[in-house]
């Protein structure tokens, strides 16, 4: 007990003295503050200040304190005016104050002696520099959301406009890991460490990643007012995210009826072919596969009772038929007859039916190893319907509530690289949020909110042909999989299908804010209850693995993975998360603000003393409101939620009776006879485990920046952000032959004569929280808020993220550019290298410009010349890293994972020359050789780099007045210069089991962006 008390007191003392804590930040609201002075610059206490929302009529009345200061807290984003009155002085007013989420807008006013009947009015904020918040991050404005070109109309893409935010291009986009097309890493943190808030409540998907539909987008861009991106050192008010926080706010109704009706059309007739699309033999030109997308809908918001009760609603539908070209690597015609480049062999009669039925003869280029390429183009349909409704009620001057509901349902069918299988998938996401805000007086207010957020996904994997039941490997009605580890496309799947996940999150949070002339304190708590229900089949149909095409044709099986009869994979998980926090914003001087606080996170399984202190400082060194110096540090926990436990709970023995057979005497349905014998040395058990005393992951973050207004409303900023990650998930199989380091040759060798630690078991993938991470980054930005028809923002991030493992949350579905598990369970330090999401250079520029043409024209000419507008988003990102693999168990450690061992660098080869740069041969395979017998190679994890990304999207709008309304015609061009942005190469392996090289192991088979595509849009804004 005394130890616990010391730990708590120690952390509190550190928080109060000088350790971690960020600045004030607000999830859904902003603040307007200022100082009222007279003509001699002397402060004026006792001034009556009225803050008014010009759209809804809501007002807040305050009185300046002894320093002449006032602060209006927790204001909804919108346009405001601030008026000040004092007997004997002329009233003053500041209008057109645009308040954004999380911002503290300065509204200083000066009163002069004179008549009350007169009034001095000024426009806009006193400064664009953030003077009181130490949080690193930014806001994506309403103008950017509405006017910038968005591929897929996914507003989450705009998070990447902020410095410190990079797209994790290698994050796997699948059922288990999430479908979000824009998964981000913030400040060097893993993608699942980003928090996603809507109206202040948690909306992360079941994998703790960006919420999205089957289209890979988060619809409702017309329903979003704005959102903020907090990249580093956010306040103690925020938690459950050890990276950054993205917080969005839905639009609300106002005293005037406003809305939109829109239709967006995409058609392959307007597009360029993708690099991998097929070539028409008759013309020799590429064929652009059919593609059509319609996105349509509308919004409407207005008053039910003026100044009191408002409504807002939105609907958006998506109908898409997308043709994609896939490249399959299949046995060629000669191989079907048992003829390989190494010689002829007799095709096993057990294999022949599968070879003839499941491996179409390819007609593309031959790879010289008995395989050739089959290029096929298929149409993948996607349908989605998104709806949101919101009601805001201003009960009186001191009370307001809102209720928000939304539904997003989608379904899609995706064809695979193997031409005979498809994957139908559905998502169903529903959010309900309500909030009550009560103002006790001008200095004390309370905000309570509750939410019920539900996410459901289903997935299956089915053949497009009829497979006779007598070819099924097991009695399960789902066909299994055949894996040839040398890169041959696999019929069937090893994924956990069919699967059905439903997660319902119940959340209640409350925050009390108390302000005074020098302090703004917040106290609150957050309660979240997770309900997860679902089932997940795991290789119920069984998987046969072969180490080469030759062994497949002979029927020589390397391994069989499957399940015993009556295996149970239905799970119901419940988990509770509770957090409490206290924070204060102290202004010891007019040009200095200190932010400090403490958060406590308690997550059942396994958190204990998870205290997270935060500290931040914002300093206006010259007192001119044009320069701000910010710095902060903090500790941030990443609770282990159901997304961490889920995969393992589905595969825990004995409820999950999985098997992993190393010596397989047969191929095909006869395996059922072996399974009927039960487990033992012939049939090894298979399972997954989690450390029973797993430690809670956390990061320490620290940053410093300098912000300065250089003129004409342009703010420039340069900064440093850094972090360290501890107790991060690590994923590997402990059931491998032990290894030891040989200093003579610098390799880790399998111990001669050693055996498996658990010989009656097969694969035992285990999650342990032993990984660590290091990040250092430099950020620079320039920002001009929308004024006089022009907005622009440029952001540059130089980042260096390293870790001892990047995944571990899900396994093979974490990233496409690495192995599903580490090489050796007992030596995670050997995995130190660039993070799988490491992007060294990221440059993003965006702008909106209303062309100044035709201002003096009249009549018909005015309609033609006026109203033109341009928008642009340009991106550059350097390549993500990846790892070359040997491709088989060369070291003979008997690990069940097929591909975690790395090669040696070839003697005398310069690693800096390893990249060739062609999509057919991205790296020089001769740079790598097999290590000494029985050893792991010396090539590090994520040693090589994939292609960079260059992208420019352009929008051209024509706004035409129809009466008092606006009709907007839009042309949006994505990938304007039609650059081929390639993905990382396939990672099937470099060598065959006999030591010969696999032909073309460095192929790239797809791009990470589309070719040039054109979208036409028509939007009626009223």
């Amino acid at each position: 007990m005394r130890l616990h008390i010391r730990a708590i007191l120690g952390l509190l003392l550190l928080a109060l003295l000088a350790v971690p804590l960020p600045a004030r930040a607000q999830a859904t609201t902003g603040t307007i503050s200022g100082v009222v002075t007279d003509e001699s610059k002397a402060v004026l206490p006792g001034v009556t200040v009225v803050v008014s929302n010009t759209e809804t009529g809501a007002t807040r009345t305050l009185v300046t304190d002894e320093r002449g200061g006032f602060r209006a807290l927790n204001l909804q984003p919108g346009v405001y005016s601030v008026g000040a009155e004092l007997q004997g002085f002329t009233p003053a007013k500041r209008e057109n104050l645009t308040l954004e989420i999380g911002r503290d807008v300065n509204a200083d006013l000066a009163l002069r002696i004179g008549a009350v009947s007169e009034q001095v009015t000024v426009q806009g904020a006193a400064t664009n520099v953030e003077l009181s918040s130490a949080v690193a991050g930014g806001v994506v404005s309403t103008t950017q959301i509405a006017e910038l070109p968005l591929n897929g109309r996914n507003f989450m893409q705009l998070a990447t406009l902020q410095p410190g935010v990079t797209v994790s291009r290698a994050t796997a986009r699948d059922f288990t890991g999430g479908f979000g097309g824009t998964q981000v890493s913030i400040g060097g943190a893993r993608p699942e460490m980003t928090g996603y808030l809507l109206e202040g409540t948690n909306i992360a998907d079941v994998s703790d990643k960006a919420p999205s539909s089957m289209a890979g987008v988060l619809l409702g861009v017309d329903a979003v007012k704005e959102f903020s991106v907090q990249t580093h050192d956010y306040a103690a008010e925020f938690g459950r995210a050890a990276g950054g926080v993205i917080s969005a706010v839905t639009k609300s109704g106002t005293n005037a009826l406003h809305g939109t009706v829109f239709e967006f059309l995409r058609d392959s007739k307007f597009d360029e072919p993708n690099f991998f699309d097929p070539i028409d033999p008759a013309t020799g030109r590429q064929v652009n596969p059919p593609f059509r997308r319609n996105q349509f809908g509308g919004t409407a918001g207005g008053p039910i009772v003026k100044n009191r009760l408002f409504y807002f609603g939105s609907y958006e539908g998506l109908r898409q038929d997308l043709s994609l070209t896939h490249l399959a690597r299949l046995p060629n015609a000669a191989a079907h007859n048992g003829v390989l480049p190494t010689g002829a062999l007799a095709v096993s009669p057990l294999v022949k039916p599968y070879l003839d039925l499941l491996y179409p003869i390819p007609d593309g280029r031959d790879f010289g190893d008995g395989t050739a390429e089959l290029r096929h183009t298929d149409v993948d349909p996607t349908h989605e319907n998104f709806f949101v409704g919101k009601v805001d009620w201003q009960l009186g001057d001191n009370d307001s509530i809102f209720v928000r509901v939304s539904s997003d349902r989608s379904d899609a069918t995706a064809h695979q690289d193997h031409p005979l299988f498809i994957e139908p998938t559905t998502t169903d996401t529903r959010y309900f949020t309500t909030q009550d805000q009560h103002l006790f007086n001008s200095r004390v207010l309370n905000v309570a909110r509750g939410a019920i957020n539900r996410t459901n996904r289903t997935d299956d994997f089915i053949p497009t042909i009829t497979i006779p039941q007598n070819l099924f490997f097991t009695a399960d009605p789902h066909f299994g999989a055949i894996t040839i580890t040398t890169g041959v496309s696999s019929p069937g799947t090893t994924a956990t299908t069919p699967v059905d996940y439903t997660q319902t999150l119940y959340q209640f949070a409350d925050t009390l804010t108390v302000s005074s002339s020098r302090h703004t304190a917040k106290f609150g708590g957050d309660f979240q209850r997770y309900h997860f229900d679902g089932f997940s089949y795991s290789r119920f149909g069984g998987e046969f693995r072969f180490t080469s095409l030759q062994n497949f044709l002979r029927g020589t099986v390397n391994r069989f993975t499957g399940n015993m009869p009556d295996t149970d994979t239905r799970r119901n998980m419940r988990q509770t998360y509770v957090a409490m926090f206290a924070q204060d914003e102290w202004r010891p001087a007019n040009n200095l603000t200190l932010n400090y606080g403490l958060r406590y996170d308690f997550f059942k399984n396994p958190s204990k003393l998870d205290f997270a202190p935060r500290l931040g400082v914002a300093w206006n060194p010259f007192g001119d409101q044009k320069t701000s110096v910010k710095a902060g540090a903090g500790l941030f926990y990443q609770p282990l939620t159901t997304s961490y436990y889920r995969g393992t709970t589905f595969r825990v023995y004995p409820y999950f009776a999985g098997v992993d057979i190393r010596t397989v005497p047969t191929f095909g349905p006869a395996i059922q006879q072996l399974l009927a014998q039960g487990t033992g040395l012939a049939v090894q058990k298979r399972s997954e485990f989690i450390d029973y005393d797993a430690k809670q992951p956390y990061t320490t973050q620290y940053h410093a920046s300098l912000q300065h207004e250089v003129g004409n409303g342009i703010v420039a900023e340069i900064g440093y952000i850094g972090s360290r990650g501890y107790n991060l998930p690590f994923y590997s199989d402990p059931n491998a032959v032990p290894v030891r380091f040989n200093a003579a040759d610098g390799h880790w060798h399998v111990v001669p004569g050693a055996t498996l630690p658990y010989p009656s078991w097969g694969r035992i993938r285990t999650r342990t929280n032993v990984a660590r991470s290091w990040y250092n980054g430099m950020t620079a930005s320039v920002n001009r808020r929308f004024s006089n028809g022009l907005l622009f923002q440029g952001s540059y991030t130089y980042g260096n993220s390293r870790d001892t493992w990047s995944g571990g949350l899900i396994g093979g579905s974490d990233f496409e550019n690495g192995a599903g598990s580490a090489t050796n369970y007992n030596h995670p330090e050997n995995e130190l290298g660039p993070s799988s999401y490491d992007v060294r250079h990221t440059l993003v520029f965006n702008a909106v410009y209303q062309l100044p043409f035709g201002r003096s024209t009249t009549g018909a000419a005015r309609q033609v010349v006026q109203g033109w507008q341009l928008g642009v988003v340009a991106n550059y990102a350097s390549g993500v890293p990846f790892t070359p693999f040997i491709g088989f168990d060369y070291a003979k450690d008997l690990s069940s994972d097929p591909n975690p061992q790395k090669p040696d660098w070839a003697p005398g080869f310069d690693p800096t020359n390893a990249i060739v740069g062609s999509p057919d041969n991205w790296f020089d395979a001769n740079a790598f050789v097999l290590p000494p017998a029985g050893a792991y190679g010396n090539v590090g994890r994520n040693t090589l780099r994939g292609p960079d990304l260059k992208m420019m999207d352009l929008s051209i709008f024509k706004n035409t007045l129809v009466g008092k309304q606006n009709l907007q015609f839009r042309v949006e061009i994505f990938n304007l210069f039609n650059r081929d942005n390639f993905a990382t190469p396939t990672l099937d392996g470099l060598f065959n089991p006999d030591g010969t090289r696999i032909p073309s192991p460095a192929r790239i088979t797809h791009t990470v962006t589309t070719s040039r595509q054109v979208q036409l849009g028509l939007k009626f804004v009223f």
Side-chain angles (χ1 to χ4, degrees):
M1 182 66 181
R2 299 177 83 183
L3 179 61
H4 286 191
I5 293 174
R6 286 180 182 175
I8 294 171
L9 291 177
L11 285 171
L12 286 171
L13 181 61
L14 287 173
L16 292 173
L17 290 178
V19 199
L21 177 55
R24 172 201 44 76
Q26 299 155 92
T28 62
T29 60
T31 296
I32 294 178
S33 62
V35 176
V36 181
T37 60
D38 62 15
E39 293 174 284
S40 66
K41 302 300 182 182
V43 298
L44 292 174
V47 178
T48 299
V49 177
V50 178
V51 180
S52 303
N53 186 313
T54 59
E55 297 170 317
T56 66
T59 61
R60 185 84 60 85
T61 302
L62 309 98
V63 177
T64 59
D65 55 34
E66 67 276 9
R67 300 183 306 115
F70 66 91
R71 295 177 67 78
L73 305 171
N74 281 61
L75 299 173
Q76 294 300 315
V79 180
Y80 286 81
S81 65
V82 177
E85 292 187 5
L86 183 64
Q87 185 67 33
F89 290 84
T90 297
K93 192 173 187 179
R94 189 177 287 274
E95 296 181 332
N96 292 322
L97 294 169
T98 300
L99 180 62
E100 297 173 331
I101 181 173
R103 291 289 188 182
D104 189 343
V105 173
N106 185 282
D108 289 350
L109 289 168
L111 302 184
R112 58 183 176 84
I113 297 175
V116 176
S117 58
E118 301 175 12
Q119 178 172 289
V120 177
T121 302
V122 292
Q123 301 290 323
T127 179
N128 290 311
V129 175
E130 183 62 70
L131 299 175
S132 63
S133 174
V135 178
V139 175
V140 180
S141 68
T142 303
T143 302
Q144 289 172 301
I145 293 172
E147 308 299 341
L148 288 175
L150 286 177
N151 196 344
R153 289 175 48 78
N154 177 17
F155 72 87
M156 199 63 72
Q157 297 173 20
L158 298 177
T160 62
L161 303 181
Q162 306 303 321
V165 180
T166 57
V167 176
S168 179
R169 303 202 300 275
T171 294
R173 183 177 177 269
D174 60 13
F175 180 88
T176 308
F179 300 111
T182 305
Q183 300 285 1
V184 298
S185 167
I186 297 181
R190 297 182 178 192
E192 66 269 17
M193 288 182 167
T194 300
Y196 296 92
L197 304 179
L198 180 62
E199 315 290 5
T201 63
N202 178 15
I203 61 166
D205 71 0
V206 294
S207 299
D208 275 333
K209 293 182 180 177
S212 68
S213 65
M214 282 311 308
V217 300
L218 187 60
L219 291 186
V221 61
D222 280 57
V224 175
K225 187 171 184 64
E226 60 192 27
F227 66 95
S228 68
V229 182
Q230 300 179 68
T231 59
H232 246 51
D233 302 316
Y234 39 90
E237 180 181 357
F238 299 95
R240 218 205 64 83
V245 175
I246 297 176
S247 180
V249 176
T250 307
K251 291 178 179 177
S252 296
T254 65
N255 279 324
L257 176 63
H258 291 291
T260 60
V261 179
F262 55 85
E263 161 76 19
F264 291 88
L265 172 67
R266 306 264 292 273
D267 195 294
S268 54
K269 298 175 182 177
F270 309 130
D271 302 340
E272 292 295 322
N274 185 272
F275 180 88
F276 296 102
D277 284 338
I279 296 176
D280 185 349
T283 63
R285 301 178 63 181
Q286 273 191 301
V287 177
N288 199 359
F291 169 48
R292 187 175 181 86
R293 171 190 280 174
N294 283 85
Q295 285 180 263
F296 52 90
T299 67
I304 301 174
V305 178
K306 187 175 181 180
N307 291 338
R308 292 298 182 188
L309 190 62
F310 308 93
Y311 72 91
F312 177 81
S314 174
Y315 167 78
E316 184 166 356
L318 182 147
R319 307 292 183 267
Q320 173 178 288
D321 289 312
L322 174 64
S323 298
L324 293 176
T325 299
H326 299 269
L327 306 181
R329 188 168 186 164
L330 300 169
N332 60 23
H336 275 252
N337 294 317
V339 179
L340 298 177
T342 55
L345 54 82
V347 177
S348 167
L350 296 177
V351 171
K352 185 66 173 173
Y354 297 93
L355 180 65
D356 292 342
L357 179 66
L358 300 179
Y359 292 91
I361 295 177
D363 57 2
R365 64 167 174 162
D366 196 286
F367 294 108
D369 64 344
T371 66
E373 186 175 82
L374 176 65
R375 193 179 298 241
H376 59 102
T377 302
D378 308 281
V379 177
D380 292 346
T382 301
H383 304 92
E384 183 172 2
N385 291 287
F386 170 85
F387 165 81
V388 62
K390 185 179 183 182
V391 174
D392 293 83
W393 189 8
Q394 188 74 33
L395 284 77
D397 293 338
N398 297 327
D399 288 279
S400 64
I401 63 173
F402 76 75
V403 175
R404 179 195 186 277
V405 294
S406 68
S407 172
D408 189 357
R409 299 184 180 186
S410 66
D411 62 82
T413 299
H415 287 77
Q416 308 300 303
D417 287 344
H418 194 288
L420 302 182
F421 289 82
I422 59 174
E423 185 178 11
T425 314
T426 69
T427 64
D428 183 355
T429 303
R430 307 175 193 179
Y431 302 142
F432 170 83
T433 308
T434 183
Q435 176 181 291
D436 173 81
Q437 178 171 295
H438 177 69
L439 190 69
F440 293 97
N441 56 53
S442 62
R443 299 184 181 276
V444 181
L445 64 86
N446 188 82
V447 176
R449 61 174 61 97
I452 303 175
N453 296 332
R454 177 184 181 272
T455 302
N456 171 261
R457 293 180 185 167
T458 67
D459 187 24
D460 206 348
F461 202 93
I462 58 178
T464 57
I465 59 171
T466 300
I467 301 177
Q469 193 68 38
N470 63 356
L471 293 184
F472 280 41
F473 304 142
T474 70
D476 189 80
H478 302 92
F479 183 75
I482 300 172
T483 300
I484 303 172
T485 60
T486 52
V488 178
S489 298
S490 298
T493 179
T494 59
T496 54
T497 57
V499 60
D500 189 327
Y501 291 167
T502 299
Q503 178 172 287
T504 305
L505 177 64
Y506 302 90
Q507 182 176 4
F508 175 78
D510 190 88
T511 301
L512 177 69
T513 304
V514 181
S515 65
S516 66
S517 60
R518 296 284 184 180
H519 295 268
T520 300
K522 287 189 176 184
F523 310 90
D526 186 9
F527 172 87
Q528 298 183 30
R529 176 70 172 174
Y530 289 78
H531 283 211
F532 176 86
D533 303 285
F535 63 83
S536 174
Y537 283 60
S538 178
R539 292 180 173 86
F540 267 58
E543 177 207 6
F544 282 97
R545 187 189 304 171
F546 300 86
T547 57
S548 67
L549 176 59
Q550 185 180 47
N551 286 336
F552 169 62
L553 297 177
R554 287 173 171 164
T556 305
V557 183
N558 168 258
R559 190 176 297 263
F560 175 82
T561 306
N563 303 314
M564 299 294 291
D566 301 322
T567 289
D568 174 23
T569 57
R570 183 173 293 278
R571 300 290 182 265
N572 307 95
M573 291 184 282
R574 303 293 183 264
Q575 200 171 17
T576 300
Y577 166 76
V578 179
M580 295 170 285
F581 71 90
Q583 67 186 53
D584 182 34
E585 180 183 284
W586 176 33
R587 296 171 294 281
N590 289 337
N591 66 338
L592 180 65
T593 303
L594 297 177
N595 300 270
Y596 48 90
L598 184 66
R599 184 181 183 89
Y600 174 69
D601 289 310
F602 174 77
F603 217 125
K604 196 172 181 180
N605 310 332
S607 60
K608 298 172 184 175
L609 296 178
D610 292 348
F611 289 94
R614 319 274 173 87
L615 176 66
V617 59
W619 178 40
N620 178 14
F622 307 116
D624 58 359
Q625 299 185 349
K626 292 185 177 296
T627 304
S628 178
V629 178
K630 301 190 291 185
L635 190 149
F636 304 82
Y637 282 95
Q638 182 69 33
L640 300 176
T641 68
T642 56
S643 66
Y644 176 79
Y645 297 103
R646 183 183 63 230
T648 298
T649 58
F650 279 116
R651 293 184 287 276
V652 170
Y653 189 87
Y655 314 103
F656 170 76
V659 297
D660 191 354
I661 306 175
R662 291 188 173 86
T663 303
V664 188
T666 187
F667 171 68
I671 195 69
Q672 297 179 41
Q673 300 173 16
L674 190 61
L675 295 177
Q677 300 175 13
T679 59
L681 292 178
V683 180
Q684 293 86 25
K685 297 183 289 291
R686 174 172 63 98
S687 186
E688 292 194 12
F689 294 99
I690 293 176
D691 274 358
Y692 73 95
D693 60 348
K695 296 180 180 179
Q696 205 78 299
Y698 70 93
T699 63
T700 56
Q701 298 180 4
Y702 29 88
H703 86 284
S705 65
L706 172 66
Q707 189 179 82
H708 181 69
E709 186 169 5
V710 296
N712 296 323
I714 300 173
V715 176
E717 183 172 11
I718 187 169
Y720 162 80
I721 54 177
S723 66
R724 290 282 303 272
Y726 303 87
N727 303 336
L728 305 180
F730 179 79
Y731 203 43
S732 190
D733 184 357
N735 198 21
V737 177
V739 296
R740 64 188 178 195
F741 187 69
N742 184 345
D745 64 4
H747 290 80
W748 288 85
H749 286 256
V750 169
V751 176
T755 60
L756 288 172
Y758 314 101
S760 65
W761 287 79
R763 189 180 72 183
I764 314 176
R765 275 188 177 176
T766 302
R767 287 177 172 85
T768 58
N769 288 357
V770 297
R772 293 193 173 190
S773 67
W774 296 260
Y775 178 79
N776 292 284
M778 187 273 286
T779 62
S781 67
V782 58
N783 187 13
R784 185 186 194 276
R785 300 193 181 187
F786 190 72
S787 176
N788 297 322
L790 176 64
L791 169 155
F792 64 79
Q793 179 186 16
S795 302
Y796 170 73
T797 302
Y798 170 80
N800 184 353
S801 182
R802 296 174 62 80
D803 56 29
T804 54
W805 196 247
S806 299
L809 179 69
I810 299 162
S813 295
D814 282 305
F815 297 97
E816 295 177 336
N817 56 336
S821 64
T823 303
N824 191 271
Y825 173 84
N826 296 303
H827 299 283
E829 70 279 2
N830 293 345
E831 300 290 344
L832 178 62
S835 303
S836 294
Y837 46 83
D838 177 50
V839 178
R840 293 296 165 89
H841 302 278
T842 302
L843 178 64
V844 184
F845 177 81
N846 70 93
V848 174
Y849 183 39
Q850 295 176 347
L851 299 178
F853 303 147
R855 291 178 178 175
S856 60
T857 58
T858 58
R862 178 187 181 90
Q863 291 282 67
V864 174
V865 178
Q866 265 198 351
W868 291 94
Q869 176 179 313
L870 299 178
V872 63
V873 177
N875 292 270
Y876 168 77
S878 54
V880 296
F882 66 93
T883 307
F885 296 105
I886 291 176
F888 66 98
D889 183 11
Y890 174 79
K892 306 300 182 186
D893 67 2
L894 304 183
S895 170
S896 295
D897 283 317
N899 199 18
Q901 296 180 22
K902 309 173 189 71
D904 262 6
W905 286 106
F909 193 93
D910 183 358
T912 61
N913 295 326
I915 300 300
V916 177
S918 166
D920 288 331
N921 185 36
W922 182 255
F923 62 87
D924 187 353
N926 293 317
F928 307 100
V929 296
L930 291 170
Y936 297 149
N938 58 22
V939 171
R941 182 176 68 94
N942 287 335
T943 300
L944 302 179
R945 290 276 170 174
D948 61 7
L949 181 145
K950 297 175 182 176
M951 188 85 165
M952 178 177 286
D953 298 336
L954 175 69
S955 63
I956 305 172
F957 298 171
K958 175 64 173 75
N959 296 292
T960 303
L961 286 178
V962 180
K964 295 183 178 180
Q965 319 307 325
N966 180 36
L967 182 64
Q968 185 179 74
F969 177 71
R970 307 164 66 117
V971 178
E972 294 170 281
I973 307 171
F974 307 112
N975 196 357
L976 177 65
F977 298 111
N978 197 34
R979 186 179 192 264
D980 297 314
N981 290 303
F982 296 108
T984 52
T986 57
L987 301 176
D988 296 316
L990 298 170
F991 298 93
N992 292 302
D994 60 4
T996 58
R997 294 184 180 273
I998 296 175
S1000 303
R1003 286 191 313 149
I1004 294 176
T1005 59
H1006 64 283
T1007 59
V1008 295
T1009 66
T1010 65
S1011 56
R1012 181 167 58 237
Q1013 294 186 333
V1014 177
Q1015 176 171 276
L1016 304 179
L1018 193 65
K1019 178 186 282 190
F1020 182 63
V1021 183
F1022 59 89

